[in-house]
Amino acid sequence: QEMFKSRRSLREETVQGREQQNVEMDEKNRAKRDKLAAGSRQVMEEKNKFALSVLRRVRVKLEGREPDSLRKASVGEQVDFIIREAMNQENLALMYEGWTAWI
């Protein structure tokens, strides 16, 4: 009977040890999950800031306030500005070659 008791107590100790390991793993996993969630929130905030800046830029263009955001340009001035930008050598040098605009 003592042998059965020692086996039973050994089994109980093993079960308790595994339960303790599971608790520790749950705590580690929770900490990792919280850290990842905080990181993804930060990434999302950065993306939102970028998206808002893009929306502001589009709004400025639609209102005719480019290149000077303080002054509203006429339609003719906007067209002239776009044509100048399209013919600018620096802008043309940055164009993606694969676009093949000359075709």
Side-chain angles (χ1 to χ4, degrees):
Q1 266 187 339
E2 285 185 31
M3 186 169 78
F4 290 123
K5 285 183 182 177
S6 65
R7 283 186 182 173
R8 189 177 304 141
S9 64
L10 180 62
R11 191 178 309 135
E12 289 172 358
E13 288 176 8
T14 304
V15 169
Q16 288 174 351
R18 286 184 183 161
E19 288 175 351
Q20 181 63 32
Q21 286 176 342
N22 287 341
V23 168
E24 290 171 0
M25 288 300 290
D26 285 344
E27 290 173 359
K28 287 179 184 178
N29 288 337
R30 189 176 304 119
K32 285 180 184 178
R33 186 182 65 232
D34 291 346
K35 186 176 181 181
L36 286 173
S40 66
R41 267 193 304 273
Q42 183 179 4
V43 168
M44 193 63 118
E45 288 174 9
E46 289 174 11
K47 287 182 179 179
N48 286 342
K49 286 179 185 176
F50 179 72
L52 289 173
S53 71
V54 169
L55 285 174
R56 274 189 230 107
R57 182 134 189 243
V58 169
R59 185 181 304 122
V60 164
K61 287 182 178 194
L62 290 174
E63 291 173 349
R65 298 186 183 278
E66 188 174 87
D68 184 5
S69 63
L70 299 177
R71 186 178 80 74
K72 188 169 184 173
S74 70
V75 173
E77 291 171 327
Q78 292 177 51
V79 170
D80 288 340
F81 172 73
I82 291 172
I83 291 172
R84 279 195 314 273
E85 287 293 302
M87 295 183 345
N88 184 332
Q89 294 292 322
E90 291 176 13
N91 291 340
L92 291 171
L94 296 174
M95 189 174 10
Y96 172 61
E97 182 180 335
W99 182 46
T100 59
W102 55 86
I103 292 181

